[in-house]
PDB file of all heavy atoms in Angstrom:
ATOM      1  N   LEU A 270      -8.532 -25.771   9.290  1.00 29.00           N
ATOM      2  CA  LEU A 270      -8.899 -24.517   8.622  1.00 29.00           C
ATOM      3  C   LEU A 270     -10.234 -23.996   9.110  1.00 29.00           C
ATOM      4  O   LEU A 270     -11.139 -24.792   9.367  1.00 29.00           O
ATOM      5  CB  LEU A 270      -9.006 -24.789   7.090  1.00 29.00           C
ATOM      6  CG  LEU A 270      -7.632 -25.063   6.392  1.00 29.00           C
ATOM      7  CD1 LEU A 270      -7.949 -25.361   4.922  1.00 29.00           C
ATOM      8  CD2 LEU A 270      -6.721 -23.849   6.475  1.00 29.00           C
ATOM      9  N   LYS A 271     -10.358 -22.712   9.277  1.00 33.00           N
ATOM     10  CA  LYS A 271     -11.592 -22.164   9.722  1.00 33.00           C
ATOM     11  C   LYS A 271     -12.109 -21.202   8.631  1.00 33.00           C
ATOM     12  O   LYS A 271     -11.332 -20.599   7.894  1.00 33.00           O
ATOM     13  CB  LYS A 271     -11.405 -21.335  11.044  1.00 33.00           C
ATOM     14  CG  LYS A 271     -10.957 -22.206  12.197  1.00 33.00           C
ATOM     15  CD  LYS A 271     -10.719 -21.333  13.441  1.00 33.00           C
ATOM     16  CE  LYS A 271     -10.248 -22.149  14.596  1.00 33.00           C
ATOM     17  NZ  LYS A 271      -9.996 -21.271  15.812  1.00 33.00           N
ATOM     18  N   ASP A 272     -13.425 -21.094   8.554  1.00 37.00           N
ATOM     19  CA  ASP A 272     -14.045 -20.208   7.602  1.00 37.00           C
ATOM     20  C   ASP A 272     -14.332 -18.846   8.240  1.00 37.00           C
ATOM     21  O   ASP A 272     -14.785 -18.771   9.377  1.00 37.00           O
ATOM     22  CB  ASP A 272     -15.357 -20.787   7.079  1.00 37.00           C
ATOM     23  CG  ASP A 272     -15.102 -22.074   6.233  1.00 37.00           C
ATOM     24  OD1 ASP A 272     -13.969 -22.296   5.860  1.00 37.00           O
ATOM     25  OD2 ASP A 272     -16.115 -22.723   6.004  1.00 37.00           O
ATOM     26  N   TYR A 273     -14.123 -17.826   7.467  1.00 36.00           N
ATOM     27  CA  TYR A 273     -14.434 -16.445   7.914  1.00 36.00           C
ATOM     28  C   TYR A 273     -15.225 -15.741   6.773  1.00 36.00           C
ATOM     29  O   TYR A 273     -14.790 -15.798   5.665  1.00 36.00           O
ATOM     30  CB  TYR A 273     -13.156 -15.660   8.273  1.00 36.00           C
ATOM     31  CG  TYR A 273     -12.510 -16.219   9.452  1.00 36.00           C
ATOM     32  CD1 TYR A 273     -11.597 -17.265   9.350  1.00 36.00           C
ATOM     33  CD2 TYR A 273     -12.790 -15.697  10.722  1.00 36.00           C
ATOM     34  CE1 TYR A 273     -10.946 -17.763  10.489  1.00 36.00           C
ATOM     35  CE2 TYR A 273     -12.176 -16.195  11.835  1.00 36.00           C
ATOM     36  CZ  TYR A 273     -11.245 -17.240  11.744  1.00 36.00           C
ATOM     37  OH  TYR A 273     -10.685 -17.750  12.860  1.00 36.00           O
ATOM     38  N   ALA A 274     -16.278 -15.078   7.214  1.00 40.00           N
ATOM     39  CA  ALA A 274     -16.997 -14.217   6.241  1.00 40.00           C
ATOM     40  C   ALA A 274     -16.229 -12.926   6.066  1.00 40.00           C
ATOM     41  O   ALA A 274     -15.915 -12.244   6.993  1.00 40.00           O
ATOM     42  CB  ALA A 274     -18.385 -13.924   6.760  1.00 40.00           C
ATOM     43  N   VAL A 275     -15.920 -12.603   4.830  1.00 42.00           N
ATOM     44  CA  VAL A 275     -15.116 -11.436   4.504  1.00 42.00           C
ATOM     45  C   VAL A 275     -15.923 -10.584   3.537  1.00 42.00           C
ATOM     46  O   VAL A 275     -16.467 -11.096   2.573  1.00 42.00           O
ATOM     47  CB  VAL A 275     -13.787 -11.876   3.888  1.00 42.00           C
ATOM     48  CG1 VAL A 275     -12.905 -10.629   3.612  1.00 42.00           C
ATOM     49  CG2 VAL A 275     -13.044 -12.825   4.847  1.00 42.00           C
ATOM     50  N   THR A 282     -17.846 -13.009   0.644  1.00 45.00           N
ATOM     51  CA  THR A 282     -17.250 -14.237   0.178  1.00 45.00           C
ATOM     52  C   THR A 282     -16.836 -15.002   1.404  1.00 45.00           C
ATOM     53  O   THR A 282     -17.016 -14.574   2.569  1.00 45.00           O
ATOM     54  CB  THR A 282     -16.052 -13.968  -0.798  1.00 45.00           C
ATOM     55  OG1 THR A 282     -15.566 -15.182  -1.255  1.00 45.00           O
ATOM     56  CG2 THR A 282     -14.947 -13.249  -0.018  1.00 45.00           C
ATOM     57  N   ILE A 283     -16.267 -16.225   1.221  1.00 42.00           N
ATOM     58  CA  ILE A 283     -15.772 -17.020   2.314  1.00 42.00           C
ATOM     59  C   ILE A 283     -14.273 -17.199   2.173  1.00 42.00           C
ATOM     60  O   ILE A 283     -13.800 -17.534   1.088  1.00 42.00           O
ATOM     61  CB  ILE A 283     -16.477 -18.408   2.373  1.00 42.00           C
ATOM     62  CG1 ILE A 283     -17.991 -18.244   2.581  1.00 42.00           C
ATOM     63  CG2 ILE A 283     -15.852 -19.213   3.465  1.00 42.00           C
ATOM     64  CD1 ILE A 283     -18.296 -17.595   3.993  1.00 42.00           C
ATOM     65  N   LEU A 284     -13.601 -16.929   3.208  1.00 44.00           N
ATOM     66  CA  LEU A 284     -12.120 -16.981   3.209  1.00 44.00           C
ATOM     67  C   LEU A 284     -11.675 -18.069   4.193  1.00 44.00           C
ATOM     68  O   LEU A 284     -12.090 -18.095   5.329  1.00 44.00           O
ATOM     69  CB  LEU A 284     -11.512 -15.629   3.639  1.00 44.00           C
ATOM     70  CG  LEU A 284      -9.975 -15.554   3.822  1.00 44.00           C
ATOM     71  CD1 LEU A 284      -9.268 -15.883   2.538  1.00 44.00           C
ATOM     72  CD2 LEU A 284      -9.595 -14.253   4.334  1.00 44.00           C
ATOM     73  N   LYS A 285     -10.875 -19.046   3.707  1.00 43.00           N
ATOM     74  CA  LYS A 285     -10.294 -20.029   4.595  1.00 43.00           C
ATOM     75  C   LYS A 285      -8.883 -19.568   4.946  1.00 43.00           C
ATOM     76  O   LYS A 285      -8.136 -19.069   4.112  1.00 43.00           O
ATOM     77  CB  LYS A 285     -10.242 -21.411   3.920  1.00 43.00           C
ATOM     78  CG  LYS A 285     -11.616 -22.055   3.826  1.00 43.00           C
ATOM     79  CD  LYS A 285     -11.516 -23.453   3.246  1.00 43.00           C
ATOM     80  CE  LYS A 285     -12.879 -24.110   3.141  1.00 43.00           C
ATOM     81  NZ  LYS A 285     -13.344 -24.483   4.487  1.00 43.00           N
ATOM     82  N   GLU A 286      -8.469 -19.746   6.206  1.00 44.00           N
ATOM     83  CA  GLU A 286      -7.134 -19.359   6.615  1.00 44.00           C
ATOM     84  C   GLU A 286      -6.086 -19.999   5.731  1.00 44.00           C
ATOM     85  O   GLU A 286      -6.166 -21.179   5.378  1.00 44.00           O
ATOM     86  CB  GLU A 286      -6.946 -19.782   8.089  1.00 44.00           C
ATOM     87  CG  GLU A 286      -7.723 -18.994   9.065  1.00 44.00           C
ATOM     88  CD  GLU A 286      -7.450 -19.416  10.481  1.00 44.00           C
ATOM     89  OE1 GLU A 286      -6.579 -20.260  10.665  1.00 44.00           O
ATOM     90  OE2 GLU A 286      -8.142 -18.930  11.383  1.00 44.00           O
ATOM     91  N   GLY A 304      -6.162 -14.827   6.198  1.00 54.00           N
ATOM     92  CA  GLY A 304      -7.441 -14.374   6.720  1.00 54.00           C
ATOM     93  C   GLY A 304      -7.376 -14.123   8.211  1.00 54.00           C
ATOM     94  O   GLY A 304      -6.552 -14.707   8.881  1.00 54.00           O
ATOM     95  N   CYS A 305      -8.186 -13.232   8.699  1.00 52.00           N
ATOM     96  CA  CYS A 305      -8.110 -12.879  10.119  1.00 52.00           C
ATOM     97  C   CYS A 305      -8.462 -14.025  11.003  1.00 52.00           C
ATOM     98  O   CYS A 305      -9.541 -14.607  10.925  1.00 52.00           O
ATOM     99  CB  CYS A 305      -9.094 -11.720  10.387  1.00 52.00           C
ATOM    100  SG  CYS A 305      -8.423 -10.154   9.832  1.00 52.00           S
ATOM    101  N   ARG A 306      -7.545 -14.371  11.856  1.00 44.00           N
ATOM    102  CA  ARG A 306      -7.762 -15.470  12.756  1.00 44.00           C
ATOM    103  C   ARG A 306      -8.112 -14.911  14.177  1.00 44.00           C
ATOM    104  O   ARG A 306      -8.677 -15.593  14.998  1.00 44.00           O
ATOM    105  CB  ARG A 306      -6.504 -16.281  12.915  1.00 44.00           C
ATOM    106  CG  ARG A 306      -5.934 -16.782  11.566  1.00 44.00           C
ATOM    107  CD  ARG A 306      -4.509 -17.324  11.751  1.00 44.00           C
ATOM    108  NE  ARG A 306      -3.895 -17.695  10.477  1.00 44.00           N
ATOM    109  CZ  ARG A 306      -3.400 -16.895   9.612  1.00 44.00           C
ATOM    110  NH1 ARG A 306      -3.373 -15.592   9.862  1.00 44.00           N
ATOM    111  NH2 ARG A 306      -2.878 -17.340   8.502  1.00 44.00           N
ATOM    112  N   ASN A 307      -7.707 -13.655  14.411  1.00 39.00           N
ATOM    113  CA  ASN A 307      -7.787 -13.069  15.748  1.00 39.00           C
ATOM    114  C   ASN A 307      -9.197 -12.612  16.109  1.00 39.00           C
ATOM    115  O   ASN A 307      -9.594 -12.718  17.251  1.00 39.00           O
ATOM    116  CB  ASN A 307      -6.833 -11.898  15.878  1.00 39.00           C
ATOM    117  CG  ASN A 307      -5.401 -12.298  15.696  1.00 39.00           C
ATOM    118  OD1 ASN A 307      -5.064 -13.034  14.769  1.00 39.00           O
ATOM    119  ND2 ASN A 307      -4.477 -11.815  16.523  1.00 39.00           N
ATOM    120  N   ILE A 308      -9.866 -12.016  15.130  1.00 40.00           N
ATOM    121  CA  ILE A 308     -11.208 -11.543  15.359  1.00 40.00           C
ATOM    122  C   ILE A 308     -12.178 -12.129  14.363  1.00 40.00           C
ATOM    123  O   ILE A 308     -12.329 -11.675  13.271  1.00 40.00           O
ATOM    124  CB  ILE A 308     -11.242  -9.952  15.270  1.00 40.00           C
ATOM    125  CG1 ILE A 308     -10.143  -9.375  16.164  1.00 40.00           C
ATOM    126  CG2 ILE A 308     -12.570  -9.445  15.618  1.00 40.00           C
ATOM    127  CD1 ILE A 308     -10.073  -7.885  16.101  1.00 40.00           C
ATOM    128  N   GLN A 309     -12.813 -13.216  14.815  1.00 40.00           N
ATOM    129  CA  GLN A 309     -13.696 -13.958  13.918  1.00 40.00           C
ATOM    130  C   GLN A 309     -14.922 -13.095  13.603  1.00 40.00           C
ATOM    131  O   GLN A 309     -15.425 -12.366  14.439  1.00 40.00           O
ATOM    132  CB  GLN A 309     -14.139 -15.269  14.529  1.00 40.00           C
ATOM    133  CG  GLN A 309     -14.946 -16.122  13.607  1.00 40.00           C
ATOM    134  CD  GLN A 309     -15.175 -17.487  14.188  1.00 40.00           C
ATOM    135  OE1 GLN A 309     -14.734 -17.802  15.253  1.00 40.00           O
ATOM    136  NE2 GLN A 309     -15.952 -18.299  13.450  1.00 40.00           N
ATOM    137  N   GLY A 310     -15.360 -13.145  12.341  1.00 44.00           N
ATOM    138  CA  GLY A 310     -16.539 -12.422  11.943  1.00 44.00           C
ATOM    139  C   GLY A 310     -16.258 -11.043  11.444  1.00 44.00           C
ATOM    140  O   GLY A 310     -17.166 -10.392  10.900  1.00 44.00           O
ATOM    141  N   ARG A 311     -15.042 -10.571  11.535  1.00 47.00           N
ATOM    142  CA  ARG A 311     -14.688  -9.227  10.977  1.00 47.00           C
ATOM    143  C   ARG A 311     -13.756  -9.485   9.813  1.00 47.00           C
ATOM    144  O   ARG A 311     -12.942 -10.363   9.840  1.00 47.00           O
ATOM    145  CB  ARG A 311     -14.063  -8.349  12.002  1.00 47.00           C
ATOM    146  CG  ARG A 311     -15.005  -8.017  13.163  1.00 47.00           C
ATOM    147  CD  ARG A 311     -14.384  -6.883  13.990  1.00 47.00           C
ATOM    148  NE  ARG A 311     -14.296  -5.667  13.213  1.00 47.00           N
ATOM    149  CZ  ARG A 311     -13.629  -4.597  13.683  1.00 47.00           C
ATOM    150  NH1 ARG A 311     -13.039  -4.628  14.848  1.00 47.00           N
ATOM    151  NH2 ARG A 311     -13.576  -3.502  12.929  1.00 47.00           N
TER     152      ARG A 311
END
Side-chain angles (χ1 to χ4, degrees):
L270 293 176
K271 298 179 181 179
D272 292 346
Y273 291 87
V275 182
T282 185
I283 297 296
L284 172 64
K285 288 183 178 291
E286 289 181 6
C305 284
R306 309 165 182 80
N307 300 44
I308 305 180
Q309 186 170 358
R311 296 192 64 189

